[in-house]
Amino acid sequence: MRVKRPERFQVQFRDASLDQMIPRDHRVRAVWAYVDSLDLTPLYRKIRVVEGSAGRDAVDPKNLMALWMFAIIEGISSARHLARLCKRDLAYLWICGDVGVNYHLLADFRTMHGEFLDELLTDTIATLLHQNIVTLETVAQDGMRVRASAGTSSFHRRQTLEKCREEAAAQVKKLRDESDDNSDTGVSDARRQAAQERAARELLERVNKALEELPEVQRQKDQQNKSKRKEARCSTTDPEARNMKMAGGGFRPAYNVQFATDAETRLIVGVDVTNNASDGNQMRPMHEKLCERYDKTPQHYIVDGGFASRGGITAVEQAGSQVTAPMTYVEQIEKRGGDPYQRRKKDNDEMAGFRERMKTEEAQNRLKQRPSIAEYPNAECRNRGLQQFRVRGREKVNAATLWYVITHNFLRMMSLGILKPA
């Protein structure tokens, strides 16, 4: 029987560069071409090592940005996993170009540049508006709850948090005293002591932050349960996360991620991350942000029933947009012989106009388009790994979300032919 067996010990010379090993139509080239076309001056300004001075050379921000975008396209959200791929996967090796990276560098880069990513989103959409590719005539908003990097057991009441603070403060003091007493220990012991002290100090900071967040958590609970007061709890792992009801029916620590999407292109034009589980108060802030950023008021603003509060509808209508949202209790009112679209006693002019408009066939047809507009980017981001955040704190969570937004818009621009393959 003749078979071909692997030969792993034969020394061979392969006369090929990294660039020759990547096909000309590989999508990693498109990612690199896009990143190479961006103005990364704000990122270069943060590099402290300059020519003629001491210090190691910094890794080019282009490399790090291309690595994260390509990783998200492939559904990778772990900095450690990405660092491993940069040592063994050809596409990631091609981006690195023999420049070494580690997981700590990658993790820091992901969360340090949220402001730059936010400006990049604004500049991209503003440019497409100028080119009449994005119109913002019709915008749809939707929210999704994404699990936080915290466990349910990390939530505690005030009494327990205060006890934790006392214990953490005592531990920090104890470790500092031990560090002073053992100043002559070896390098490895000094590093171990420094790591223990840092961990205790960070725990103390998180507990203090949790105690600061408790009044706001209590306020949110009181709004949701006006008839039954429940004592607030806050997480010592991620104090800014909140317990939210997830799609599967259970409650988990999570953040509420809000996307606003242009109806024509399905590009994400606005993003926000909140720790309020309800969508009821999220329409007005997002609408104001869009109008301010792009100096344009959408003609139609489509949301689902969770957003359709009286205050939100009134504010958006007064700003110049026509709200399209499902109305509640329509079938029940019709069964009783009433008109669900008729003006009610407490209605102002904006609410009355909203009810009258939702009676029309045009508004109903527009409402049917909402899932294909608003839920499309949610599904795309979830499919690419936005199932659970790997960072903690609202600021870092917002930065991590923006990576998915920038990557989603890049893929949409490629699909629409706005960007050409490299």
Side-chain angles (χ1 to χ4, degrees), residues 179 182-195:
S179 179
N182 301 326
S183 56
D184 297 331
T185 57
V187 175
S188 60
D189 289 337
R191 287 179 177 174
R192 176 178 54 79
Q193 290 175 353

Side-chain angles (χ1 to χ4, degrees), residues 6-41:
E7 175 55 63
R8 301 185 180 94
F9 301 100
Q10 176 67 46
V11 177
Q12 296 180 353
F13 175 75
R14 290 182 170 86
D15 187 13
S17 65
L18 274 174
D19 191 69
Q20 292 172 324
M21 294 180 180
I22 295 292
R24 304 310 301 179
D25 59 348
H26 198 291
R27 59 183 176 183
V28 72
R29 294 183 181 272
V31 173
W32 180 260
Y34 173 68
V35 173
D36 193 46
S37 70
L38 300 176
D39 181 11
L40 303 184
T41 303

Side-chain angles (χ1 to χ4, degrees), residues 280-322:
N281 298 320
Q282 305 306 322
M283 179 166 59
R284 180 177 182 176
M286 179 66 79
H287 185 268
E288 290 177 348
K289 184 184 292 188
L290 294 178
C291 295
E292 181 181 353
R293 280 191 175 200
Y294 306 118
D295 195 24
K296 182 178 176 63
T297 303
Q299 182 178 355
H300 301 287
Y301 205 80
I302 310 175
V303 293
D304 65 15
F307 292 87
S309 64
R310 186 185 303 272
I313 292 174
T314 300
V316 173
E317 292 272 347
Q318 288 177 345
S321 297
Q322 294 182 355

